[in-house]
Amino acid sequence: MSSADGIPFLDLAGQHAEIANQLDEAWAKVTSTNGFIGGSYVAAFEAEYAKYCGTSECVGVANGTDAIELILRGLGIGPGDEVIVPANTFVATVEAVVDAGATPVFVDVADDTLLVTAAHIEAALTPRTAAAIVVHLYGQMPDMDAISAVTDEAGIVLIEDAAQAQGAAWRDRRAGSWGRAASFSFYPGKNLGAFGDAGAVTTDDAELTNRIRSLGDHGRRLGTKHEHALSGVNSRLDALQAAILSIKLERLDDWNSRRRAAADYYRELLRGTDIRVLHTAPEATPIHHLEIVRVSDRDAVTSALDAHGIGWGLHYPIPCHQQNPFTRFAHGPCMITERAAREILSVPMFPTITRREVERVCEILIAAGQGSPSGTGS
Ligand SMILES: *Cc1c(COP(=O)(O)O)cnc(C)c1O
């Protein structure tokens, strides 16, 4: 098979071609304003994104990791506080907790979705628990009704790490609107991606919004130029990124539904085979940021994909509680996360992937992935 037949893991060029003219116009408009950080393009995107998520507030920040840390600092969560986090997440979730000075408490995930559940959170509560961060990993939300009930009952803060979930929903209520606050990343590869690093916090809490605005702007007292009330950081959204995000936001639902169609086709073709896919609850509207399959002999499958020029990824092969800086916070194994780390494989997924491309990926997966992975299919 020639490399001309290859399929990339993620193709952003196809998306950008659809909005090329608008991107050129936005670039010209922003450069003519002379304002590159904050300003009207940032304010416009913040308003649009809050509306999209169903919250009253949105603050643009420099990236998704800062968004989590600023939420924690804005809520006064730090040294002495425990924050429950899933072991199955990108390290940034945990890193932000540690950088805020709080103690991450790792919990395992459900085997069928690889997401945290209410029961996991409930079992990890202690008198020092200040917050739980749920991660809508791969673009799918866990049972937010059950999780909200547990965090409300315990009197702890619920935070959403929605970096992979722009537009995802649970019972038609969007990611970003369930927790006290939610963090988003607009890293280029996310479903809503900037042309560089960018992020945001959504919330209905206006006071928290003001604290995050101030913390992210060197602790500047809002409305003043020279007064700094807090020792903050520099974490602001660029005007160019905001203008690009506004253009892409108009396309997001369409792009997400094209990903859903591709994901449905993957599921149809893999049904009844040894390749496991993730379960989707009827209440969930996933956005398939990543398309995860589980295979028993991953090396054989990735070799076959390589041989055919098909892109793949691993999200994530080393669980957070086994990463060097965080092992000191581990208090036992997370068996499901650890087993998943050996089996998971991310296959090509992007809005412009064709049915023929999905078929080719599945043919190779099925041919190379013989042998039952542990657990049952879904
Ligand atoms: C991408 C990501 C982040 C971090 O976002 P950055 O913008 O890269 O800082 C945090 N959590 C999860 C789950 C992510 O996927």
Side-chain angles (χ1 to χ4, degrees):
M1 205 59 68
S2 75
S3 58
D5 295 308
I7 302 169
F9 175 62
L10 171 65
D11 176 22
L12 293 175
Q15 268 167 276
H16 294 155
E18 294 178 11
I19 53 171
N21 292 342
Q22 284 168 285
L23 292 172
D24 287 347
E25 278 169 34
W27 181 272
K29 275 197 245 166
V30 175
T31 50
S32 72
T33 65
N34 269 333
F36 294 99
I37 294 174
S40 61
Y41 288 95
V42 171
F45 173 70
E46 287 175 340
E48 291 155 12
Y49 200 62
K51 183 160 181 260
Y52 181 81
C53 293
T55 60
S56 60
E57 313 289 333
C58 171
V59 192
V61 298
N63 57 69
T65 313
D66 282 3
I68 306 169
E69 189 179 340
L70 288 166
I71 291 169
L72 293 168
R73 289 188 63 187
L75 291 168
I77 296 171
D81 294 323
E82 291 179 356
V83 177
I84 297 169
V85 291
N88 189 40
T89 182
F90 179 53
V91 286
T93 317
V94 184
E95 186 181 39
V97 171
V98 173
D99 288 352
T103 303
V105 174
F106 292 108
V107 294
D108 211 354
V109 290
D111 189 52
D112 59 348
T113 59
L114 300 180
L115 301 175
V116 75
T117 69
H120 289 110
I121 293 174
E122 194 160 28
L125 292 169
T126 78
R128 289 189 306 169
T129 309
I133 303 181
V134 297
V135 183
H136 307 320
L137 205 64
Y138 319 126
Q140 174 154 255
M141 299 179 73
D143 182 341
M144 296 305 287
D145 291 301
I147 288 172
S148 305
V150 165
T151 55
D152 284 353
E153 170 71 24
I156 63 164
V157 173
L158 173 60
I159 297 167
E160 302 171 69
D161 177 345
Q164 301 189 0
Q166 303 88 351
W170 178 262
R171 276 197 303 100
D172 295 330
R173 190 169 146 194
R174 283 216 168 109
S177 69
W178 283 86
R180 176 80 179 278
S183 60
F184 286 91
S185 165
F186 304 122
Y187 176 84
K190 306 281 160 123
N191 287 33
L192 179 61
F195 284 178
D197 280 310
V201 172
T202 56
T203 180
D204 286 328
D205 183 336
E207 274 176 42
L208 175 63
T209 304
N210 286 340
R211 281 196 295 278
I212 290 173
R213 277 196 196 289
S214 172
L215 280 169
D217 189 20
H218 304 290
R220 196 187 313 272
R221 196 184 292 282
L222 293 182
T224 75
K225 197 170 166 72
H226 300 293
E227 275 179 65
H228 297 264
L230 301 160
S231 180
V233 293
N234 175 356
S235 186
R236 300 173 298 215
L237 182 59
D238 295 341
L240 276 167
Q241 303 300 357
I244 288 159
L245 289 167
S246 286
I247 293 165
K248 288 189 164 191
L249 183 57
E250 286 177 22
R251 302 290 180 121
L252 183 60
D253 285 344
D254 174 46
W255 285 338
N256 282 346
S257 65
R258 284 151 76 182
R259 283 176 184 260
R260 269 194 295 278
D264 287 347
Y265 198 37
Y266 267 117
R267 277 162 178 68
E268 184 185 324
L269 297 175
L270 295 174
R271 193 167 300 136
T273 73
D274 289 335
I275 315 290
R276 275 181 84 188
V277 297
L278 297 180
H279 173 69
T280 298
E283 297 91 338
T285 306
I287 59 156
H288 301 281
H289 170 60
L290 294 166
E291 192 58 27
I292 304 291
V293 298
R294 293 173 74 173
V295 294
S296 52
D297 188 354
R298 189 166 61 196
D299 289 344
V301 175
T302 56
S303 299
L305 292 172
D306 283 342
H308 290 87
I310 292 174
W312 52 273
L314 300 178
H315 305 87
Y316 300 90
I318 306 173
C320 293
H321 65 294
Q322 296 180 333
Q323 292 282 4
N324 193 44
F326 309 126
T327 52
R328 67 192 167 104
F329 300 109
H331 50 81
C334 292
M335 298 306 290
I336 291 169
T337 298
E338 288 165 35
R339 196 179 65 201
R342 295 190 293 271
E343 295 176 351
I344 43 102
L345 173 67
S346 307
V347 293
M349 172 52 76
F350 44 92
T352 54
I353 193 168
T354 65
R355 281 171 75 85
R356 181 69 201 116
E357 287 173 326
V358 173
E359 286 161 13
R360 276 199 12 92
V361 176
C362 290
E363 279 161 22
I364 294 159
L365 286 177
I366 293 166
Q370 310 295 347
S372 284
S374 45
T376 54
S378 56

